[in-house]
């Protein structure tokens, strides 16, 4: 039984995609501070110190282009 190269390539790409999802550190935690929601998107997984940066979304603040405002904060916020 021969395995077609296209099937093998698709299987390898699927395996790579699943591995990338499994290793990503995505937090998706929502906090409320002074009535404003803050959405912790993700943090630098290689830096576990208090000075590591995290991407924070502000769903209550919308930019002029209609997208949510994002800022970068440290873990020790």
């Amino acid at each position: 039984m021969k395995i077609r190269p296209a099937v093998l390539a698709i299987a390898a790409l699927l395996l790579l995609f699943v591995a990338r999802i499994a290793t990503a550190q995505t937090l998706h935690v929502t906090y409320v501070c002074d009535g404003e929601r803050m959405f912790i998107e993700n943090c630098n997984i290689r830096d576990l110190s208090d000075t590591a940066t995290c991407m924070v979304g502000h769903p209550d603040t919308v930019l002029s282009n209609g997208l949510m405002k994002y800022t970068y904060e440290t873990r020790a916020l």
Side-chain angles (χ1 to χ4, degrees):
M1 176 176 180
K2 287 186 168 181
I3 297 177
R4 295 182 185 174
V7 174
L8 185 61
I10 290 172
L13 286 175
L14 184 61
L15 181 64
L16 181 65
F17 179 70
V18 170
R20 287 289 292 170
I21 289 174
T23 60
Q25 181 185 15
T26 305
L27 298 176
H28 298 294
V29 178
T30 303
Y31 294 100
V32 177
C33 181
D34 292 331
E36 179 188 358
R37 291 179 296 154
M38 295 182 355
F39 182 62
I40 310 301
E41 184 75 27
N42 58 19
C43 294
N44 184 356
I45 62 172
R46 292 196 174 117
D47 188 2
L48 299 177
S49 68
D50 287 341
T51 59
T53 57
C54 297
M55 189 167 75
V56 179
H58 302 270
D60 297 331
T61 306
V62 179
L63 300 175
S64 61
N65 60 2
L67 297 176
M68 181 171 49
K69 175 184 169 187
Y70 282 95
T71 58
Y72 287 91
E73 304 291 339
T74 60
R75 284 185 193 243
L77 178 68

